[in-house]
Amino acid sequence: MRDEKRMAPVERESGPGGTSQAIEALSTEDRHFPPSEAFRAQANVADPDVYARAAADPEGYWAEQASQLDWFAPWQTVLDWQPPFARWFDGGRLNVAHNCLDRHVANGLGDKVAYYWEGEPGDRKVITFSGLLDDVRRCANALKALGVGKGDRVAIYLPMIVEFPVAVLACARIGAPHTVVFGGFSADSLRDRINDAGAKVVITADGGYRRGKTVALKPQVDAALADGACPSVRHVLVANRTGDAVGMVADRDVWWDDLVPGQELDCPAEPMESEDLLYLLYTSGTTAKPKGIVHTTGGYLTGVASTFRSVFDIKPDDVYWCAADIGWVTGHSYIVYGPLANGTTGVLYEGAPDFPDPARWWEIVERYRVTVLYAAPTAIRAHMKWGAQFAQKHDLSSLRLLGSVGEPINPEAWIWYHHHIGGDRAPIVDTWWQTETGAIMISPLPGITDLKPGSSTIALPGIDAAIVDEAGKPVGPNEGGYLVINKPWPSMLRGIYGDDKRYRETYWSRFPGRYFPGDGARYDGDGYTWLLGRVDDVMNVSGHRLSTTEIESALVSHELVAEAAVVGVSDPISGEAPVAFVTLRDGSAVSKELGETLRQHVALKIGAIARPKSVMFTPDLPKTRSGKIMRRLLRDIAADRPLGDTTTLADAGVVDLIRDASRSGKEE
Ligand code: WTA
């Protein structure tokens, strides 16, 4: 166990950016924003009684939510709970793609827009529900032609193009679980995920666009599969996006345009058991190996469809835009499954928020008359930095609700978002959840909840959350503790793929019988939740989870590195940023160039998001007597120093500090 695991989250003043921001928020922030009468009057959920009703009978509440889906066969039991293994809606049969597409088309919504798609270079497409259904059927038949059957895993590694939701839904249609790998991940990361999932087919594209340049994807797939490194893969389906030349391997690789458009439209949706695997999504844990989070069919769709309706207050004429990437859980649940299950029109945008200039997002909001916008605090902070003048040039009056996700939103960013983007009129839903929870867990209901900037407020109806101390006892108001979830919920993870032991240990051993998400939190005097950041070795960089251990392993895999410790330091835009302390093998010379090489090495091993902001070379790492790295000391050292995007050579002061600490070896 690492040293900081024993620390209560409130002691981590020098901890992650989110932590200090939230603490600061707590001490100074007591502004309330009640829902306006106008908003309350039209809200989907406006009766505060819903909380008490759901708490009195959570299974009844969730069954009511599940019954809004189309089931081919009804369930026999709502919940079968053999801790820590849950089964929801057992006996029920349904198909997720049918719920997202066919039933809307059957209900006369075929001509409704499913997605307005906008590519970064400015190309656009409008896809209706019936158009999307046709594309999904053809793609599903193409997958069958490539030998994919029910239960076979398919890896998806795509840019934000229309083929992305098509591929995801085609898998769901034929009961082939997908595992999406974010396009920013390296060939190494892709290979590990393909192999852990045992994927039979990889769906990719030649590349995508980012800030005016093309980013290659197919060559990464080639590198991942090279030398027979992924023996499960039979075929690679390649969408054409950039037109950049890519090599195609005979008998393995096939162009989307050569295979998919010519397929038959006849493709019945496979009736799936409620507990059949829908997808795996890998996320960073506290060890170097990412965890394959398991999500199943009926409970997951119930959770995302229901929370999408209640939290985003979605109406039939809304135009909803989640500015995330489908490569992350936010995109799975709230770009694809939640919105489509509700027949909602969405926006898909391929590129960067500041290309060709920082007005791009606001131009999109104006063009499509976006009514609900869901974004990450890191993006809001970047827009703050660029300035409100870009938003002011555009008509944002269509926006009626804003959302935030991925990390704590600091009150200053909340107020800026509320004022400059929401025109002081649109409520903000600050939504706390995780890859593992599948769906939003703690969030305001915008027609009911008084908002407080920086607080994700209270657990949703049907979710039983608590904040407890080391011993599992509830803490009082304003005492920091550990967030736990007391009861199972439909969209919860069903496990870690192939690793029940790790599933039990990671989430269920610290507070037996309760789910432990790894976040610190506290309640204020009104019972509002303030998230305080991670309490484990997981960092949150721009709303993305990174494991300190995974970055350390990447560094140590370099031949000149003897030992490495990585800590998260506060960063004004990304929330947290990784900083590496590195000791070299005997005889290796410290240089700025080597620091740069190591930063690139991490980008190559994991992906650019994991690249350390700074590398500090030290002759030793400070350790406790029992040999644990004293990360808190390293964090303090890192936090005290001006850190450019560069290598920082160890100076005498740092070296002394580390030496002193190493010699005394005192426990923290
Ligand atoms: C953090 C993203 C504070 C948290 C949906 C969690 C948040 C991790 C919030 C999950 C929020 C997410 N306020 N912290 N509104 N939303 N987090 O799996 O630490 O990529 O454990 O899922 O992000 O990240 P993940």
Side-chain angles (χ1 to χ4, degrees):
M1 206 166 74
R2 285 221 161 73
D3 48 0
E4 75 224 53
K5 289 231 177 110
R6 288 196 307 271
M7 283 190 271
V10 285
E11 290 170 11
R12 302 177 69 209
E13 287 88 4
S14 60
T19 309
S20 51
Q21 281 156 10
I23 287 172
E24 190 188 308
L26 185 70
S27 53
T28 58
E29 191 53 62
D30 60 359
R31 282 171 284 194
H32 284 237
F33 293 78
S36 68
E37 264 323 304
F39 196 98
R40 197 192 296 271
Q42 60 81 63
N44 286 351
V45 190
D47 181 1
D49 233 28
V50 63
Y51 291 98
R53 268 200 301 118
D57 178 15
E59 291 178 35
Y61 173 79
W62 288 119
E64 214 175 277
Q65 301 303 311
S67 66
Q68 306 207 19
L69 301 174
D70 232 359
W71 294 79
F72 298 146
W75 62 83
Q76 261 92 59
T77 39
V78 175
L79 170 65
D80 171 8
W81 179 224
Q82 318 270 345
F85 296 98
R87 299 180 65 85
W88 284 88
F89 311 116
D90 242 345
R93 289 183 155 213
L94 75 169
N95 181 282
V96 167
H98 165 89
N99 272 279
C100 289
L101 300 169
D102 307 51
R103 69 167 169 151
H104 303 313
V105 173
N107 287 337
L109 294 180
D111 292 337
K112 185 175 177 177
V113 174
Y115 290 117
Y116 291 109
W117 174 80
E118 175 143 339
E120 197 192 70
D123 42 344
R124 290 174 203 147
K125 284 183 195 163
V126 178
I127 301 100
T128 62
F129 275 91
S130 57
L132 187 58
L133 174 57
D134 287 353
D135 287 350
V136 167
R137 285 173 168 150
R138 288 194 191 96
C139 179
N141 279 333
L143 288 174
K144 286 187 195 165
L146 294 177
V148 176
K150 187 171 173 174
D152 289 335
R153 277 81 60 214
V154 173
I156 301 179
Y157 186 63
L158 281 171
M160 282 287 285
I161 55 178
V162 174
E163 286 84 346
F164 207 159
V166 170
V168 162
L169 291 159
C171 289
R173 189 167 195 86
I174 61 174
H178 54 78
T179 181
V180 173
V181 181
F182 172 59
F185 277 120
S186 66
D188 280 13
S189 296
L190 177 62
R191 180 191 306 122
D192 292 347
R193 286 157 172 78
I194 288 173
N195 282 336
D196 193 80
K200 200 167 186 181
V201 163
V202 182
I203 306 179
T204 188
D206 44 8
Y209 288 93
R210 193 77 187 169
R211 294 208 168 82
K213 296 199 187 89
T214 60
V215 181
L217 289 175
K218 174 64 165 58
Q220 303 280 4
V221 176
D222 292 338
L225 303 186
D227 304 322
C230 298
S232 60
V233 174
R234 299 276 175 278
H235 292 288
V236 181
L237 182 61
V238 190
N240 184 310
R241 171 63 183 137
T242 61
D244 288 345
V246 296
M248 296 291 277
V249 174
D251 300 329
R252 188 194 75 182
D253 302 350
V254 50
W255 286 104
W256 180 292
D257 289 349
D258 290 342
L259 185 68
V260 178
Q263 295 293 320
E264 297 288 326
L265 277 178
D266 181 30
C267 178
E270 190 72 36
M272 303 297 287
E273 299 292 334
S274 180
E275 283 298 337
D276 276 342
L277 183 57
L278 177 63
Y279 68 79
L280 302 173
L281 184 58
Y282 287 81
T283 189
S284 296
T286 54
T287 70
K289 190 176 181 303
K291 306 175 281 196
I293 301 302
V294 173
H295 282 296
T296 58
T297 304
Y300 174 79
L301 195 64
T302 298
V304 298
S306 154
T307 51
F308 184 69
R309 236 176 355 254
S310 60
V311 172
F312 297 107
D313 189 48
I314 285 297
K315 305 291 190 311
D317 55 356
D318 271 312
V319 178
Y320 161 89
W321 180 22
C322 170
D325 191 292
I326 299 175
W328 306 104
V329 75
T330 303
H332 283 59
S333 297
Y334 297 108
I335 294 179
V336 182
Y337 292 124
L340 293 179
N342 282 283
T344 303
T345 296
V347 173
L348 281 181
Y349 171 56
E350 177 188 29
D354 56 347
F355 190 85
D357 65 48
R360 186 65 187 266
W361 272 24
W362 317 125
E363 215 179 275
I364 292 175
V365 169
E366 178 175 344
R367 178 170 311 118
Y368 302 107
R369 306 300 294 154
V370 172
T371 57
V372 178
L373 174 66
Y374 193 29
T378 185
I380 306 307
R381 290 192 296 266
H383 283 293
M384 280 173 80
K385 191 182 82 180
W386 297 325
Q389 69 275 16
F390 296 102
Q392 278 153 9
K393 280 192 281 191
H394 293 277
D395 177 6
L396 307 184
S397 61
S398 55
L399 287 170
R400 63 179 200 90
L401 180 71
L402 303 174
S404 174
V405 60
E407 53 180 316
I409 180 163
N410 35 320
E412 201 193 335
W414 195 102
I415 295 289
W416 189 92
Y417 195 27
H418 191 251
H419 180 65
H420 290 288
I421 307 307
D424 293 320
R425 131 197 108 249
I428 298 179
V429 289
D430 174 359
T431 62
W432 179 88
W433 60 294
Q434 308 179 293
T435 305
E436 292 88 338
T437 68
I440 299 170
M441 302 290 278
I442 304 177
S443 163
L445 286 176
I448 298 180
T449 319
D450 283 13
L451 309 173
K452 293 188 192 184
S455 168
S456 60
T457 74
I458 48 180
L460 289 178
I463 301 299
D464 184 349
I467 300 173
V468 300
D469 65 14
E470 290 286 342
K473 292 212 193 60
V475 295
N478 295 325
E479 288 169 24
Y482 303 95
L483 181 65
V484 292
I485 312 294
N486 291 323
K487 293 203 177 84
W489 64 101
S491 64
M492 66 189 278
L493 77 166
R494 299 300 193 263
I496 293 175
Y497 195 58
D499 200 343
D500 283 351
K501 183 163 168 273
R502 190 172 179 197
Y503 171 63
R504 288 175 188 278
E505 280 168 4
T506 309
Y507 305 108
W508 302 93
S509 65
R510 189 152 183 174
F511 302 104
R514 297 158 154 198
Y515 174 79
F516 174 51
D519 280 37
R522 67 168 108 191
Y523 288 128
D524 68 13
D526 296 331
Y528 274 45
T529 316
W530 297 79
L531 273 309
L532 302 176
R534 303 284 310 188
V535 295
D536 54 13
D537 295 331
V538 173
M539 234 181 288
N540 191 324
V541 179
S542 300
H544 302 315
R545 274 161 68 170
L546 289 174
S547 152
T548 54
T549 326
E550 199 179 346
I551 304 175
E552 286 165 3
S553 303
L555 285 164
V556 173
S557 75
H558 191 278
E559 56 185 8
L560 297 181
V561 174
E563 203 174 17
V566 170
V567 295
V569 298
S570 183
D571 181 276
I573 301 295
S574 64
E576 277 185 274
V579 167
F581 291 82
V582 170
T583 61
L584 294 175
R585 286 177 190 268
D586 281 351
S588 310
V590 165
S591 71
K592 277 213 170 246
E593 291 68 37
L594 180 57
E596 196 45 41
T597 304
L598 294 180
R599 293 177 66 229
Q600 291 312 329
H601 183 71
V602 173
L604 194 71
K605 284 276 162 192
I606 303 174
I609 43 167
R611 184 191 285 128
K613 180 171 179 178
S614 168
V615 174
M616 294 197 207
F617 292 106
T618 68
D620 297 297
L621 289 175
K623 297 208 179 118
T624 61
R625 284 209 183 95
S626 50
K628 294 171 210 144
I629 294 172
M630 296 162 80
R631 286 150 183 282
R632 184 151 69 164
L633 178 85
L634 294 176
R635 236 188 327 257
D636 289 347
I637 293 171
D640 264 3
R641 299 168 57 82
L643 298 167
D645 286 334
T646 174
T647 303
T648 311
L649 299 180
D651 61 31
V654 174
V655 174
D656 287 349
L657 269 171
I658 290 177
R659 281 241 165 86
D660 289 351
S662 298
R663 277 194 200 115
S664 64
K666 59 181 186 297
E667 305 281 339
E668 285 192 309

